[in-house]
Amino acid sequence: MRPVPYRVVERRRETRDTVTLALEPVAARIAEPSPGQFTMMYAWGVGEVPVSVSGGGAKPRVEQTVRAVGAVTRALCGARPGEMLGLRGPFGVGWGLDEVQGFDLILAAGGIGLAPLRSVVLRALADPRRYGRIVLLVGARTPADLLYPDELERWRRCGVHVEVTVDRAAAGWTGHVGLITSLIDLVDADPARAAAFVCGPEIMMRLTARALVERGVPPHRVRLSLERNMRCGVGWCGHCQLGPLLLCRDGPVVPYERAEPLMAVKEL
């Protein structure tokens, strides 16, 4: 429950309100996170918030992408190289990449939901023989809100099938415009031999998961990353309850078969 001090060693601005922080431990360190897990990030004297791990370079570096939406996240986004932050964790259930070896991977990300899927792409590209085709579907509000544009191009060159759509186009945009579900027909993968990971706004996840199942992806191999008001990280406080689940402990990654009936209940 005590934050472990980490030093900011790199800060990259992704969009007008989002940055990626690369952190390294000062002495003690947290366990190595699995793709899909999160940490509680602490800004000294301000507070802490849950943030998904978006990647890491050489151990024990941790990378986390943070969007400034409140006092704590604004403080985190304002941290500069050399400054200290605190980490607790890692917490929760990850994507379970070891369970889908040999399968094609279909990754669907809406907005900041690309951050926890970035670690999946990096892990899969580091050992491509363990997986089949990698397909990444990305949705953003506008081209300016798109995360990791340079990395998306690099992943394309590495063989990842990347498709991007935006809600509203801007001058010079020549890509897709519309819902992320409109990209599913472009998926170059065998649905029956695929695992799908989905992260983004709740309505986007619900519609995308349903469309993937209708396309032929087995429901038990569709996984969603859910979010509620996580506070303690270990299932004690109950703030992250979703029906019978405590998402900091039982999630954030939940199989679609288990998530679908819960997401269908209004305001649950």
Side-chain angles (χ1 to χ4, degrees):
M1 296 298 290
R2 288 186 178 180
V4 177
Y6 270 65
R7 179 177 288 111
V8 178
V9 294
E10 185 180 350
R11 178 183 185 272
R12 302 190 301 274
R13 178 163 292 281
E14 306 291 352
T15 69
R16 59 181 176 78
D17 61 358
T18 306
V19 303
T20 295
L21 301 175
L23 307 165
E24 291 184 354
V26 177
R29 67 191 194 193
I30 64 173
E32 182 180 0
S34 298
Q37 288 188 301
F38 68 95
T39 73
M40 297 298 295
M41 293 188 71
Y42 188 82
W44 305 109
V46 184
E48 66 176 3
V49 290
V51 180
S52 294
V53 175
S54 58
K59 297 179 183 179
R61 174 179 287 211
V62 177
E63 292 189 355
Q64 305 205 239
T65 300
V66 186
R67 174 166 289 167
V69 294
V72 180
T73 49
R74 284 195 296 270
L76 293 171
C77 286
R80 303 289 174 175
E83 295 185 22
M84 304 292 292
L85 300 174
L87 292 186
R88 290 197 296 117
F91 297 120
V93 177
W95 293 109
L97 277 170
D98 290 341
E99 302 166 13
V100 294
Q101 293 184 47
F103 291 93
D104 292 343
L105 299 180
I106 302 174
L107 315 177
I112 195 70
L114 182 54
L117 287 169
R118 175 179 181 259
S119 58
V120 175
V121 177
L122 296 176
R123 183 70 62 88
L125 288 178
D127 194 359
R129 294 174 297 178
R130 299 181 69 183
Y131 308 99
R133 195 90 166 91
I134 304 172
V135 177
L136 176 61
L137 311 178
V138 181
R141 287 175 294 181
T142 70
D145 293 307
L146 183 63
L147 291 180
Y148 319 127
D150 293 339
E151 289 189 82
L152 293 177
E153 290 302 321
R154 186 160 62 249
W155 294 342
R156 282 192 179 101
R157 294 194 296 269
C158 291
V160 179
H161 179 176
V162 178
E163 297 285 351
V164 178
T165 187
V166 297
D167 295 336
R168 300 189 306 277
W173 177 255
T174 59
H176 300 283
V177 178
L179 299 177
I180 194 171
T181 50
S182 66
L183 302 178
I184 292 177
D185 287 339
L186 305 176
V187 168
D188 181 17
D190 179 3
R193 292 289 303 166
F197 302 159
V198 185
C199 187
E202 201 157 288
I203 188 170
M204 166 264 172
M205 290 194 290
R206 189 167 68 246
L207 296 176
T208 302
R210 183 186 304 163
L212 288 166
V213 170
E214 291 173 351
R215 178 72 186 274
V217 181
H220 66 277
R221 288 205 300 271
V222 177
R223 299 172 185 176
L224 315 182
S225 183
L226 304 181
E227 183 180 353
R228 286 297 184 271
N229 186 13
M230 299 174 186
R231 296 279 186 89
C232 68
V234 292
W236 291 350
C237 71
H239 282 88
C240 65
Q241 184 175 7
L242 177 65
L245 304 180
L246 294 173
L247 289 181
C248 69
R249 182 193 66 197
D250 305 317
V253 178
V254 177
Y256 176 65
E257 289 179 315
R258 196 173 191 191
E260 192 274 336
L262 301 175
M263 297 171 70
V265 179
K266 187 176 182 180
E267 298 183 358
L268 181 62

